[in-house]
Amino acid sequence: MLLQKLSMRIFSNPIEIDSNTLVYCFSHNLSMLDNMIYSLQIYNIKKIHIIKNQHAISGVPNYEDVVNKYKLFAIETELIPFDYDIIQTKHESDAVIKYALEHKYKRIILVAPIFHILRGTMTMISSAIENMANIKFCSIINQTLNWNALCSTHQGNTYTTLSNTLDLELERIANYIEKGDIKKCDEIWQYLDRVNSIKMFASDYKLYN
């Protein structure tokens, strides 16, 4: 039950962007980027960050192809160094949190396909907890009417309907919590309580006072 409660909390965080905000788009194949780009357009986001997956093994295209895809929609990309041999959500999260801390970002907005956004957000927050960060998180969830649409994920090893992929993702969340890549739901909840009580932005005074 706590997972359902946590997911509602994650997706209810307000989307606010300023100079202290890093917008991160998770790595996915080019067909999945279309929905992510649509989400960026809804919020009029013109600058994002992606990982520089130059040599990593994955089921996604080279970062240069991703940059060109976003460029078609006038979206500027900044590259985050990525020193891992394979692209996994945990590796992405560790790289992003390290970069965010080095550049003193105070808020991260996460963008991913609808089936991945919950696990991606939980993994990113888990990396923030491990690095003792005080970073606020918002997540943009994609819109869809077609749950029978086919999609590719998990390093290209899974190709099935969006509905089936979501079931697999919920199983993965449970597995990664057991493995330790994702913190337990109550730990993530407590992290959100803590960082959301910190007044970092002018808008925070409107939210909490």
Side-chain angles (χ1 to χ4, degrees):
M1 183 62 69
L2 187 52
L3 176 60
Q4 293 93 317
K5 185 177 177 182
L6 178 62
S7 64
M8 293 297 292
R9 178 172 187 173
I10 285 172
F11 297 131
S12 66
N13 280 344
I15 307 298
E16 298 179 289
I17 304 173
D18 61 16
S19 60
N20 292 308
T21 302
L22 184 156
V23 180
Y24 179 70
C25 291
F26 280 97
S27 298
H28 281 278
N29 62 46
L30 293 180
S31 63
M32 292 291 101
L33 293 188
D34 290 335
N35 276 28
M36 295 167 66
I37 289 168
Y38 178 69
S39 295
L40 295 171
Q41 291 174 325
I42 290 176
Y43 291 95
N44 195 31
I45 295 173
K46 299 294 186 182
K47 181 178 179 180
I48 63 169
H49 285 74
I50 63 172
I51 58 169
K52 187 177 181 181
N53 60 321
Q54 194 165 12
H55 303 295
I57 300 172
S58 72
V60 301
N62 187 277
Y63 76 93
E64 293 171 333
D65 294 328
V66 177
V67 168
N68 289 333
K69 176 82 171 184
Y70 283 118
K71 189 180 297 184
L72 291 174
F73 296 86
I75 297 172
E76 180 186 351
T77 52
E78 292 283 340
L79 298 176
I80 294 176
F82 190 77
D83 300 323
Y84 298 91
D85 295 330
I86 186 170
I87 295 179
Q88 296 176 340
T89 303
K90 183 64 169 70
H91 292 164
E92 283 188 76
S93 299
D94 289 343
V96 171
I97 294 301
K98 178 182 178 183
Y99 180 92
L101 289 172
E102 289 175 350
H103 292 80
K104 304 187 185 309
Y105 283 105
K106 297 180 179 179
R107 180 190 286 121
I108 297 177
I109 295 177
L110 298 171
V111 187
I114 192 169
F115 60 82
H116 185 217
I117 188 63
L118 179 59
R119 180 165 66 90
T121 302
M122 293 178 69
T123 308
M124 191 73 68
I125 294 174
S126 298
S127 291
I129 293 171
E130 292 171 359
N131 286 276
M132 296 180 289
N134 291 314
I135 298 174
K136 298 191 175 188
F137 290 91
C138 315
S139 298
I140 298 177
I141 188 167
N142 292 160
Q143 301 178 19
T144 185
L145 292 174
N146 185 8
W147 285 88
N148 293 315
L150 295 175
C151 56
S152 173
T153 185
H154 307 150
Q155 287 86 44
N157 295 319
T158 300
Y159 187 70
T160 185
T161 65
L162 179 57
S163 178
N164 289 340
T165 303
L166 186 57
D167 289 334
L168 294 172
E169 281 292 299
L170 292 173
E171 292 177 9
R172 282 188 160 223
I173 288 173
N175 291 337
Y176 285 129
I177 288 175
E178 184 176 350
K179 180 183 176 184
D181 284 357
I182 297 178
K183 300 299 182 184
K184 294 179 180 178
C185 292
D186 58 345
E187 292 181 74
I188 294 175
W189 188 277
Q190 291 165 11
Y191 174 87
L192 294 175
D193 274 347
R194 181 172 61 80
V195 297
N196 289 341
S197 69
I198 301 172
K199 296 181 174 65
M200 303 179 184
F201 310 93
S203 60
D204 291 338
Y205 289 86
K206 298 177 184 177
L207 289 172
Y208 300 108
N209 287 341

